[in-house]
Amino acid sequence: MEKISVAVRFRPSIAEGAAEERQWRIEDNRISLHKPHGTPISGISFAFDHVFEQSSTNASVYDILIKSIIHAAINGFNGTAFAYGQTSSGKTFTMNGSQLEPGIIPQAVRDIFDTTHMITDREFLVRVSYMEIYNEEINDLLFLGNQRLPVHESLERGVYVAGLREEIVNSADQVLELIKLGEANRHVGETNMNVRSSRSHTIFRMVIESSAKDSTSSADAIRVSVLNLVDLAGSERIAKTGAGGVRLKEGKHINKSLMILGNVINKLSENGKHRAHIPYRDSKLTRILQPALGGNAKTSIICTVAPEEVHIEETKGTLQFASRAKRITNCAQVNEVLTDAALLKRQKQEIEELRRKLQGQHSEVLEQVILKQRNDMHKSELEREKLAMELEEERKSRQALEHHVGEQQRRIDYLNELLASNDARKLLQGTIHTHSNYEEMNSSNCMSQGNTFTTPIFKAMRDQFVVKRSNHSKAFDSSPLPENFTSMANEDLWLQLNKGFRTDLDALQMTPNIKYGAAQSNDTSIGTDLEEWNTKERCLNLASECRLHALQVDALKEQYDMLERKYSQLREENSSLVQTLSYSNHDVVLLKAQKDELQKDLSYEREKMRDLKEEIRLFGLVFAERECLLNSLYSKSKTMIENFSNSQII
Ligand code: ADP
Ligand code: MG
């Protein structure tokens, strides 16, 4: 168990403070508010893990507050750092920084790659995503088409944003380029970027996986940690920004998100043992940050404040938020994953195979090919997941619709039964009118009315009808159906009377109870006719709704089939991609073999050439020797001839 670490940072003052103004004073890690003449204002004094003065740098914030979290994340602990504070207090400056003074995010990115490159006994896999929560909707900043993404939860993955693009990366520069792309995407179509950026939360997320390099067993655990670096929306009260119209809507959502964050922090800061329910689920932000708040993560909060007198109330609010956050305890532990939830594990086999095939290639080329292969595999996996999710949603809505249609059908059947029973009842009542009472009717010789009593409909429906009536004799939530009709409704008349009018089913269900027995009188007036018309009208409405729902079900079925086709098409594409890759791998192997063969021929030729050179050299030597011999022979014979001719002369 460890406390969240909370720091406060003052941004440089924009306006030079007049001497007579109230001022914030910093002494070590304590902040207090002082009156114009220097006396402290009682009750306004706060202590934190660290307080950064106006002259502090992003580098010092990183070293003191963030570095330890980043290094823990490399070792398998989840980590979160977020900036909280009013608009223009320096959140974005702290998180992103400037060209001259890089903020927490770029420093963390560089630190991660520098550190992981130095750890030689572990293999690392880093992937990044970048999202924005605006008006309680999650938008992907790395892929423009990905908007309004849902938050899902699974046992293996915990809480995650479904469909969010993740890019596997292997250098800091690559990540910084992606962040630039995200920022550019954020600006697309935005007329007033300042309003949007102060109203939205951005979450830059890195997932770091690592496994021991010498691990041979597939049962070895993989460390998986999630690092969130969050730039929150401005925490100022909406009244102060004068929000209205569209901005009111934005303000409301910002309020909601930050209000829930405040609630969550309040609840968490209460005595741990008696903690009430923590409303993480009430906003997207707190849902995503759930592990960072009282869960399995190391968390740092940097609360940025403006030093000016005009912002004192907002600053007080921020400091109070920070004080509460300081009381939260987290329980961070190294996350070791044995299952396929780790990407390193899922891709292990393919990557090993690829490495084996490309053995001997230049290491940089090899790493680039592997990175591309990893990204391709991950993307098709995400695509599949997204499609499966869409299919599941379609399936659910189809089921719901089918259920609804079934319900409507049952209601219609029931109404038809009632109508049929009513026909029989009318006939029965007609009979009763011819007799003085029911007993009389029963005791009399009924042969003449035999047909009336033996009507198949009546016989078939009587018991059922009684049962249904008794079921409905209790109080109703919705209006019960009229029990009795004395005459058949005239459908043509009903159509004439109700031309173009359709009853709203919801309104129909909410009409007040009709007292039973009211229709039991022998009143054969128009009122009873109207009841029958109403019933018929309901039947017709329900029937047309049924038809409408059936059409909707058909349309959904078609959509479902289309999605299934798309899904199988994507699967085919995926497998053909894998096949192409294996073909090209095969080609690489063939080319390598050819190259080896050629190299062998070349060295053979070289050897031959060397031999020939040697032969030529030897031949030259022999030739020179012979030339020498011949020369000496020649000079000898010349001397001999001279001697001989001299002796002849003498
Ligand atoms: P927020 O994101 O909280 O709305 P910004 O980070 O955009 O605020 O800061 C508002 C302005 O103040 C920016 O121009 C920024 O460069 C400047 N600023 C904020 N904090 C600092 C700081 N510590 N040092 C220098 N300039 C700062
Ligand atoms: Mg900002």
Side-chain angles (χ1 to χ4, degrees), residues 339-593:
T339 63
D340 271 359
L343 201 58
L344 259 180
K345 189 140 201 156
R346 290 204 298 277
Q347 297 188 341
K348 192 176 164 78
Q349 227 173 337
E350 286 89 343
I351 298 300
E352 268 173 11
E353 208 165 307
L354 190 65
R355 251 188 235 281
R356 205 165 32 78
K357 281 178 184 164
L358 299 179
Q359 225 171 18
Q361 293 281 322
H362 197 278
S363 72
E364 247 175 50
V365 176
L366 178 71
E367 286 314 311
Q368 283 310 320
V369 175
I370 287 176
L371 182 69
K372 187 170 177 312
Q373 166 82 344
R374 280 195 187 284
N375 264 316
D376 286 348
M377 287 197 306
H378 188 45
K379 262 170 211 152
S380 68
E381 209 179 76
L382 286 178
E383 198 68 34
R384 263 204 311 265
E385 191 182 276
K386 198 172 160 195
L387 272 174
M389 210 169 66
E390 280 172 14
L391 272 175
E392 179 61 21
E393 260 162 35
E394 287 294 329
R395 196 183 58 76
K396 271 190 197 152
S397 61
R398 200 173 74 162
Q399 253 180 5
L401 255 176
E402 276 173 357
H403 176 76
H404 191 61
V405 169
E407 283 285 300
Q408 303 287 44
Q409 191 57 51
R410 268 193 295 282
R411 279 193 206 178
I412 288 175
D413 290 348
Y414 177 56
L415 284 171
N416 282 338
E417 276 173 26
L418 277 182
L419 279 174
S421 310
N422 234 21
D423 286 347
R425 180 179 291 257
K426 269 186 295 173
L427 286 171
L428 174 65
Q429 277 176 349
T431 315
I432 292 170
H433 282 300
T434 59
H435 297 271
S436 56
N437 57 41
Y438 190 67
E439 281 74 31
E440 194 185 334
M441 176 196 78
N442 273 343
S443 62
S444 71
N445 183 349
C446 299
M447 287 311 283
S448 54
Q449 285 85 32
N451 285 343
T452 313
F453 284 103
T454 54
T455 324
I457 298 169
F458 182 74
K459 279 217 152 180
M461 304 307 291
R462 203 165 100 184
D463 289 344
Q464 228 175 328
F465 180 51
V466 170
V467 170
K468 284 198 170 139
R469 244 185 355 143
S470 63
N471 281 347
H472 288 279
S473 59
K474 298 166 215 142
F476 273 77
D477 284 341
S478 55
S479 47
L481 296 158
E483 185 189 61
N484 195 5
F485 299 98
T486 47
S487 65
M488 273 295 291
N490 178 335
E491 205 168 314
D492 291 335
L493 178 63
W494 179 86
L495 272 176
Q496 273 171 21
L497 286 171
N498 293 281
K499 217 168 197 170
F501 174 73
R502 292 188 56 164
T503 310
D504 175 352
L505 191 65
D506 288 336
L508 189 76
Q509 286 177 341
M510 292 313 291
T511 48
N513 290 352
I514 296 168
K515 283 273 172 268
Y516 265 68
Q520 290 242 332
S521 71
N522 286 338
D523 184 10
T524 53
S525 67
I526 288 168
T528 326
D529 270 351
L530 274 172
E531 281 170 6
E532 282 192 32
W533 293 336
N534 279 341
T535 312
K536 276 249 160 195
E537 180 194 339
R538 283 181 203 181
C539 278
L540 285 168
N541 279 334
L542 285 171
S544 68
E545 250 190 57
C546 255
R547 274 195 297 279
L548 191 72
H549 286 309
L551 283 176
Q552 280 174 338
V553 167
D554 285 347
L556 272 172
K557 264 185 196 156
E558 231 165 74
Q559 221 176 328
Y560 181 81
D561 290 344
M562 197 197 68
L563 274 170
E564 236 165 24
R565 277 199 298 278
K566 210 169 140 193
Y567 181 57
S568 63
Q569 197 184 337
L570 265 169
R571 272 173 63 163
E572 268 168 30
E573 269 174 30
N574 189 27
S575 63
S576 93
L577 265 174
V578 169
Q579 206 166 8
T580 318
L581 187 84
S582 81
Y583 283 153
S584 53
N585 285 342
H586 183 66
D587 287 350
V588 168
V589 173
L590 276 182
L591 277 171
K592 224 176 140 245

Side-chain angles (χ1 to χ4, degrees), residues 9-12 14 53-58 61 83-98 101 194 197-198 231-236 304-305:
R9 184 184 197 186
F10 277 87
R11 74 145 159 70
I14 294 168
E53 297 189 23
Q54 297 187 22
S55 58
S56 64
T57 60
N58 280 338
V61 174
Y84 177 98
Q86 72 173 111
T87 296
S88 94
S89 58
K91 295 182 297 298
T92 307
F93 183 82
T94 303
M95 296 310 292
N96 293 3
S98 62
E101 209 185 310
N194 287 338
S197 70
S198 65
D231 186 356
L232 289 175
S235 61
E236 62 275 5
T304 54
V305 288

Side-chain angles (χ1 to χ4, degrees), residues 82 84 201 232 255-268 279 283 285-286 289 293 301 321 328:
F82 60 87
Y84 177 98
H201 315 279
L232 289 175
N255 237 358
K256 182 188 167 192
S257 240
L258 283 179
M259 192 186 76
I260 304 297
L261 178 68
N263 275 353
V264 165
I265 284 181
N266 270 356
K267 292 255 161 77
L268 287 169
S283 83
L285 178 74
T286 45
L289 294 184
L293 302 163
I301 304 180
F321 172 92
I328 300 176

